[in-house]
Amino acid sequence: MTSPTIVLYPSPGMGHLVAMVELGKFILHHHPSLSITVLVAPPSFNTGSTMDYVRHISATVPSITFHHLPAVSLDLDAFPSMEAVIFEVLRRSNPDVRRALESISPRVSAFIIDFFCTESLPIAAQLHIPTYYFFTSGNYILAFFIHFPFIHRSTTKSFKDMTGHLLHAPGVPPIPTSDMLRPMLDRTSSDYQNFLNFSMSIPNSAGFIVNTFESLEPKPLEAIRQGKCNPGGNTPPVFCVGPLLDTENRRGGRDEDECLKWLDKQPCKSVVYICFGSLGLLSAAQLREVAVGLERSGKRFLWVVRSPPSEDKTKRFLKPPEPDLEALLPGGFLERTGERGLVVKSWAPQVAVLNHAAVGGFVTHCGWNSILEAVCAGVPMAAWPMYAEQHFNRVVLVEDMKLALRVEQAEDGFVTAEEVERRVLELMDGAPEVRKAVEEKSVEARAALADGGSSVAALGKMVDLWNSA
Ligand code: UDP
């Protein structure tokens, strides 16, 4: 019998592609006889880095095959958000996805999609291929999405007009409407509709593969498995296969080696690391405020600084230019803090940084990968959300999981220098419960991925299903 082919279909954008490839590597590591093909979504933005990455993986993991979907032409300026662009690119690619699924041989036994790729689910259903979602965020938000159609039907208002309301989903702490996913705040937007479509499609999928581990988020997992999030309806099985980390997340910049060498010279757990994911940009005023807060804290720091967002709408989706640190940071800041701080331009090798013995705290934007990376490294967090589902993540991290301190923000997200100073001091010198909880989860994360661990067992169950399909 030929071994099954598994097709992975991530949405555009490096983060989604990298996460899906990590899943492919994990599958192949434990089940090397399977064939893995990755459909590479048409280039829409950040093309160069995507292609470099695909070439790198093709060279280093030749058992993963890449199938490139043809380009679609799109006027990016006509779209209100990056999410809207992604949904439209994928919608237009559907005929090519169908052709790919029909042409891949041996026959496709499982189609694993990103949640942005929801509209390809009916295509796979027509071809009688079971479709699994690969969820690159956690079980809390999955529980919320499974329950979301009920919340949608319970009101006619937009979340942005429901100030002070709390949203309730089984297994999830009450979520203030103001902490809902940024693209879902306006009920009349296409983004809201796209997320609702995803939620409504969940019962039609064969299962959810989640980048988490069983003991990290047990409450929502239990609620999902008991069918409480979709009472009266179908809830597909959930397979927790994480934490899957991109341990090679290096972009090859000169500063990357420099920051690891600098960390080598710092005392154990003395450095606070500040980084806002792959896309987080601070305004010029906010950068100065962070600098003042860091300087006043007196703590050692490693800070990834990017140029502020461009005011030119046509540059929204482009990578910002390298920051001019002298111009952006307060006069004399770099000289005054040079002994105890390092400012890195644009990018740091985050996984290596978090696992360095010198790092004792992480000010994070609460992207799911950053959270998992901190958990695995056992580094406590201060939560400063910016975009996407990060405000939601902050609520569960602080209120339920107790793995992070809350950074107080003004309504527009601004954080004062006083708050930066206070929170950095608390993170580095206090917060014993948070430190203890993160260290415990770090041990559990390693156990989940070890032979016989829960994530390896979940993968085994899934592969059994594929083999018998
Ligand atoms: N990352 C990194 N160096 C940086 C910024 C980000 O290596 O300077 C990596 C980080 O380790 C993580 C990913 O980029 O793997 C960011 O993913 P996350 O889900 O945290 O946030 P997103 O960028 O999707 O908002």
Side-chain angles (χ1 to χ4, degrees), residues 69-140:
L69 296 172
V72 291
S73 79
L74 217 57
D75 173 13
L76 295 185
D77 295 339
F79 292 87
S81 67
M82 194 181 288
E83 284 84 358
V85 174
I86 294 175
F87 276 116
E88 187 57 26
V89 167
L90 296 172
R91 193 168 289 134
R92 294 197 195 181
S93 297
N94 272 342
D96 296 310
V97 172
R98 185 186 183 102
R99 274 189 282 280
L101 288 176
E102 284 172 332
S103 68
I104 288 168
S105 150
R107 196 183 171 280
V108 180
S109 295
F111 184 41
I112 302 179
I113 63 173
D114 202 294
F115 80 109
F116 279 107
C117 306
T118 295
E119 291 202 18
S120 62
L121 207 146
I123 296 173
Q126 284 160 17
L127 300 174
H128 306 290
I129 301 171
T131 300
Y132 294 77
Y133 276 106
F134 178 46
F135 202 59
T136 50
S137 204
N139 282 330
Y140 281 96

Side-chain angles (χ1 to χ4, degrees), residues 249 273 275 277-279 304 306 346-351 365 367-370 373 387 390:
N249 62 355
Y273 168 60
C275 181
S278 59
L279 301 172
V304 182
R306 305 213 171 96
S346 303
W347 192 261
Q350 182 161 301
V351 173
H365 74 316
W368 188 247
N369 291 301
S370 293
E373 288 160 7
Y387 52 94
Q390 296 148 14

Side-chain angles (χ1 to χ4, degrees), residues 94-281:
N94 272 342
D96 296 310
V97 172
R98 185 186 183 102
R99 274 189 282 280
L101 288 176
E102 284 172 332
S103 68
I104 288 168
S105 150
R107 196 183 171 280
V108 180
S109 295
F111 184 41
I112 302 179
I113 63 173
D114 202 294
F115 80 109
F116 279 107
C117 306
T118 295
E119 291 202 18
S120 62
L121 207 146
I123 296 173
Q126 284 160 17
L127 300 174
H128 306 290
I129 301 171
T131 300
Y132 294 77
Y133 276 106
F134 178 46
F135 202 59
T136 50
S137 204
N139 282 330
Y140 281 96
I141 200 138
L142 175 57
F144 185 87
F145 271 126
I146 296 174
H147 195 65
F148 179 46
F150 292 86
I151 294 175
H152 171 75
R153 286 194 290 269
S154 71
T155 178
T156 52
K157 286 189 182 162
S158 287
F159 297 139
K160 70 177 172 51
D161 301 325
M162 294 167 70
T163 320
H165 274 67
L166 294 171
L167 300 172
H168 298 273
V172 181
I175 305 287
T177 40
S178 54
D179 284 323
M180 268 315 289
L181 281 71
R182 276 22 215 163
M184 289 170 77
L185 289 175
D186 180 358
R187 193 181 176 97
T188 63
S189 70
S190 62
D191 285 346
Y192 181 96
Q193 191 55 49
N194 285 326
F195 279 98
L196 182 62
N197 289 348
F198 158 65
S199 286
M200 309 240 273
S201 78
I202 289 175
N204 303 331
S205 69
F208 262 85
I209 306 168
V210 189
N211 191 6
T212 187
F213 51 99
E214 293 267 334
S215 65
L216 183 62
E217 308 164 89
K219 287 188 208 164
L221 187 58
E222 198 180 299
I224 296 170
R225 287 188 172 150
Q226 291 176 345
K228 289 183 182 163
C229 300
N230 184 21
N234 176 45
T235 303
V238 176
F239 302 93
C240 302
V241 299
L244 302 174
L245 307 187
D246 172 23
T247 48
E248 291 178 51
N249 62 355
R250 308 183 60 134
R251 299 263 166 109
R254 186 181 52 82
D255 289 351
E256 297 189 0
D257 288 333
E258 184 192 332
C259 70
L260 293 178
K261 283 196 194 120
W262 180 82
L263 284 172
D264 287 342
K265 293 189 223 122
Q266 311 307 318
C268 192
K269 294 196 192 307
S270 67
V271 175
V272 58
Y273 168 60
I274 303 123
C275 181
F276 298 95
S278 59
L279 301 172
L281 305 180

Side-chain angles (χ1 to χ4, degrees), residues 11-14 16 41-51 74 76 81-87 89 279 316-319:
S11 54
M14 272 294 277
H16 296 268
S44 39
F45 38 85
N46 287 344
T47 331
S49 49
T50 304
M51 294 316 294
L74 217 57
L76 295 185
S81 67
M82 194 181 288
E83 284 84 358
V85 174
I86 294 175
F87 276 116
V89 167
L279 301 172
R316 279 179 308 165
F317 302 129
L318 298 179
K319 208 171 139 193

Side-chain angles (χ1 to χ4, degrees), residues 44-74:
S44 39
F45 38 85
N46 287 344
T47 331
S49 49
T50 304
M51 294 316 294
D52 286 349
Y53 177 75
V54 167
R55 271 192 289 276
H56 168 69
I57 296 296
S58 302
T60 52
V61 194
S63 42
I64 295 185
T65 307
F66 289 91
H67 179 108
H68 294 266
L69 296 172
V72 291
S73 79
L74 217 57

